[in-house]
Amino acid sequence: MNRNIIFRIIAIILTTFTVSCEDYLTESPKTFLSPETVFNTKNDIFAGTVAVYDALGNGAGANYYGRRFMYLNFFCSDEITSISLVDKNLDNFTFNATETNVSNSWSSMYNLINRANVVLANIPKVAMSEADAKQFEGELKFLRGLTFFNLVRTFGDVPLQDKPTALLSDAYKERSPIADVYKFIISDLTYAKDNLAATNQNGRATSGAAKGILAKVHLTRASSTAKEADDYQKCATLCSELISGGTYSLMSNFEKAIGKEDAYNKESMFEVEFQRQNFPNELGNFGVFMMPKDPWTTVFPTLNAAYSGQAATYGNADLVSEIQFFNRFNPLDYRRDQTFVWTAVKGGAPIDYTKFVVPYPHCPFKYINRNKPTDRSGYTFEGNVKVLRLADVYLMKAEALNEISGPTTDAYGAINAIRTRARNRDGLSTNGYPADLAGLTKETFRDAVLDERMIELAFEGHRWYDLVRTNRLVSLYQTLHPEYGVTDKNLLFPIPKDQIDLKGSKLTQNTGW
């Protein structure tokens, strides 16, 4: 989605009405811009809606999908470790309720929610067609529902906020039970599903995106204390509709399903756009954090000659794969080649990752543009965060059907569609791996789906949620890193201490924190 200065101005106005600290204005200057004076036309509502999208990842430090929220998933699963960042306390589970990444994730999500609430409250006041009003409302409820979903599965019980936060009394709500939060999320996403168009501008929500996130909501709720008897069936039905609906389809080549150069492809259902070059403070550019420190002579030798003589500022190699995670990928699996930088050429000879400047298998290929480097700086490699793509939907369907009645033919068909794509590689070669699955029990099929999700969706922000949802996080870490002392308290993140400490706060802390 293109952004311009008017969107930034309205974003500032909306943020002014987001409660995040103890101090409040007691008087409103007469010349100060407010929602009442800003939202007068349909274009104003459009600009305000874009400002809500902007809250998915704008600004430095406290942003949402741009960095901090993704760190929680990256570091607290078995995918990623840090070589030089200060966030190692997440990686080794020594963080507590004062952790900056946790606090910033909370604040940035409620920032988006309040922005959405402000615009939603002003839609009825602006003259526009009913269709336009429903479109805006659907997009805003999609973003709000998605964000509450991220909050509830990260923190558990959270305060429900469905109106703009303008008064002190609005800010200090008690935590709502997860059952109530899930009902609110389902209501928002159902409205979005029923009222959004099937297609939209790149970066904007669609009915299919809402349907896909709603399927994930039901799959997640099904393993929670708020579960309802038909959650798995609702998930499977939604997934089947998306797969057969014709709007989305799997890319024939796994490589083309991911990466900046293939943004908004036919498999992509919703992604958060980042433009590091146009907006330098946007930190959604994970490429610079994941690229090796010496990529041009190793990973991109053919480009080195074209840029010889230019100053080189390579990647930072801050976020690298856990060795054990890399080792779980079969060398025959084409997806390993497209997920990690693990081998390259230097001086005309092949080398493996142990010879890199930082000897770890990196994971940049989902977050960099391999086709159009503009200079030798890793900072110019920018990649969107794919929140949902169709491959995820296939795997959700397989999991839900298995939980309903074991590995049915339809369940096998869903997971094997993903394995078939991987087996076909680039359409030019095949080594027969991975073979179709068959003959599994309900339990072994469940394990197979989780493993397939690990390989297919690596570094896309799903792993921690998958481990928690399937009750594998604690046992996995007790095997991999018993010294970390991971326990059931780590199935949720702590409520940020700075929020609990606010004067008048009614928030309570999660068990064990």
Side-chain angles (χ1 to χ4, degrees):
M1 179 183 300
N2 294 326
R3 305 180 178 118
N4 60 37
I5 190 66
I6 185 63
F7 300 156
R8 296 293 180 171
I9 291 172
I10 289 190
I12 293 170
I13 294 168
L14 296 185
T15 302
T16 302
F17 285 79
T18 300
V19 175
S20 61
C21 62
E22 190 173 345
D23 297 324
Y24 295 85
L25 292 173
T26 56
E27 296 183 3
S28 178
K30 299 303 181 184
T31 59
F32 189 76
L33 291 172
S34 70
E36 288 73 21
T37 61
V38 168
F39 295 106
N40 298 302
T41 68
K42 186 178 79 169
N43 285 339
D44 296 336
I45 295 295
F46 171 73
T49 301
V50 174
V52 180
Y53 280 102
D54 194 61
L56 288 167
N58 75 302
N63 53 12
Y64 184 2
Y65 277 100
R67 188 164 160 188
R68 303 297 181 181
F69 171 66
M70 296 293 283
Y71 277 3
L72 304 187
N73 200 294
F74 282 166
F75 288 128
C76 293
S77 72
D78 56 337
E79 289 181 319
I80 282 179
T81 188
S82 175
I83 300 302
S84 59
L85 290 180
V86 297
D87 305 287
K88 292 182 180 179
N89 52 336
L90 283 174
D91 190 38
N92 59 23
F93 288 85
T94 58
F95 65 94
N96 55 35
T98 65
E99 167 61 41
T100 300
N101 289 295
V102 175
S103 179
N104 285 353
S105 294
W106 174 285
S107 297
S108 62
M109 285 191 272
Y110 274 105
N111 173 39
L112 183 147
I113 288 167
N114 199 59
R115 289 189 187 190
N117 287 339
V118 170
V119 184
L120 282 166
N122 280 274
I123 289 176
K125 304 174 185 178
V126 175
M128 68 180 83
S129 69
E130 182 181 2
D132 285 338
K134 287 185 175 180
Q135 174 67 29
F136 286 127
E137 188 173 355
E139 291 185 70
L140 293 164
K141 288 187 174 182
F142 169 84
L143 295 169
R144 187 174 66 178
L146 169 65
T147 299
F148 267 121
F149 179 43
N150 288 333
L151 279 164
V152 74
R153 58 184 180 155
T154 303
F155 298 103
D157 299 349
V158 293
L160 276 175
Q161 195 69 263
D162 63 351
K163 294 180 178 61
T165 303
L167 300 175
L168 190 65
S169 58
D170 296 332
Y172 298 130
K173 285 189 171 184
E174 297 91 347
R175 299 170 68 184
S176 299
I178 65 170
D180 293 342
V181 180
Y182 271 112
K183 288 178 181 178
F184 186 84
I185 294 166
I186 291 170
S187 175
D188 265 2
L189 293 176
T190 299
Y191 183 93
K193 171 180 71 71
D194 293 341
N195 290 280
L196 287 176
T199 59
N200 207 337
Q201 289 177 279
N202 288 343
R204 294 177 66 181
T206 63
S207 58
K211 186 176 290 189
I213 298 298
L214 184 57
K216 191 177 287 285
V217 168
H218 283 294
L219 184 66
T220 305
R221 188 175 71 168
S223 61
S224 75
T225 57
K227 63 184 177 183
E228 296 192 3
D230 59 353
D231 273 330
Y232 284 124
Q233 185 58 61
K234 285 183 175 178
C235 173
T237 299
L238 289 165
C239 290
S240 294
E241 291 174 1
L242 286 167
I243 291 168
S244 63
T247 302
Y248 308 99
S249 59
L250 294 176
M251 300 290 284
S252 59
N253 186 348
F254 173 78
E255 177 188 350
K256 296 300 181 181
I258 54 180
K260 176 67 177 180
E261 61 271 26
D262 295 300
Y264 306 118
N265 59 57
K266 62 183 181 180
E267 183 171 330
S268 176
M269 302 177 71
F270 187 70
E271 52 190 271
V272 180
E273 180 174 324
F274 293 98
Q275 298 180 3
R276 183 93 188 221
Q277 296 180 67
N278 294 334
F279 301 99
N281 286 332
E282 294 194 354
L283 297 175
N285 177 19
F286 291 112
V288 69
F289 300 122
M290 295 177 176
M291 286 174 65
K293 289 187 176 181
D294 183 18
W296 294 95
T297 57
T298 57
V299 183
F300 304 112
T302 58
L303 299 178
N304 193 41
Y307 293 96
S308 61
Q310 295 186 20
T313 53
Y314 308 121
N316 291 346
D318 292 319
L319 307 180
V320 297
S321 172
E322 295 265 12
I323 298 297
Q324 56 77 26
F325 188 75
F326 170 77
N327 288 337
R328 294 188 68 178
F329 283 66
N330 191 302
L332 297 176
D333 198 320
Y334 173 62
R335 292 170 293 185
R336 187 183 79 158
D337 300 352
Q338 303 303 321
T339 301
F340 303 91
V341 174
W342 63 276
T343 187
V345 176
K346 188 170 186 177
I351 61 173
D352 68 19
Y353 68 85
T354 60
K355 305 297 184 183
F356 291 177
V357 175
V358 177
Y360 291 83
H362 294 66
C363 46
F365 278 175
K366 292 188 176 182
Y367 292 96
I368 67 170
N369 188 330
R370 287 174 277 187
N371 289 346
K372 298 179 180 179
T374 58
D375 58 31
R376 299 184 70 183
S377 170
Y379 281 89
T380 64
F381 287 85
E382 55 190 20
N384 294 351
V385 172
K386 279 191 167 59
V387 176
L388 184 70
R389 58 187 177 92
L390 192 63
D392 192 351
V393 173
Y394 273 89
L395 295 174
M396 285 195 288
K397 177 181 178 180
E399 181 177 345
L401 289 175
N402 183 62
E403 294 303 327
I404 295 168
S405 54
T408 62
T409 299
D410 205 9
Y412 276 120
I415 190 172
N416 285 336
I418 303 303
R419 294 172 71 85
T420 297
R421 195 228 334 242
R423 184 167 64 246
N424 288 341
R425 299 169 65 91
D426 53 8
L428 300 176
S429 58
T430 179
N431 58 9
Y433 187 90
D436 284 352
L437 297 177
L440 301 179
T441 66
K442 185 174 185 176
E443 289 70 26
T444 56
F445 189 91
R446 182 185 296 132
D447 292 341
V449 172
L450 183 62
D451 285 345
E452 202 67 32
R453 291 184 62 83
M454 174 191 70
I455 294 167
E456 176 72 23
L457 305 173
F459 313 119
E460 296 181 39
H462 304 292
R463 180 66 172 166
W464 184 81
Y465 292 119
D466 285 348
L467 290 171
V468 170
R469 179 171 51 75
T470 58
N471 199 27
R472 310 295 176 91
L473 181 75
V474 175
S475 59
L476 176 66
Y477 269 93
Q478 286 176 345
T479 300
L480 292 178
H481 295 290
E483 70 277 14
Y484 290 175
V486 175
T487 65
D488 284 349
K489 83 170 188 177
N490 297 110
L491 300 177
L492 292 172
F493 284 89
I495 304 300
K497 186 176 184 298
D498 59 0
Q499 298 294 322
I500 293 177
D501 289 346
L502 289 176
K503 184 178 179 180
S505 174
K506 300 174 184 178
L507 293 174
T508 57
Q509 187 54 272
N510 281 328
T511 302
W513 291 102

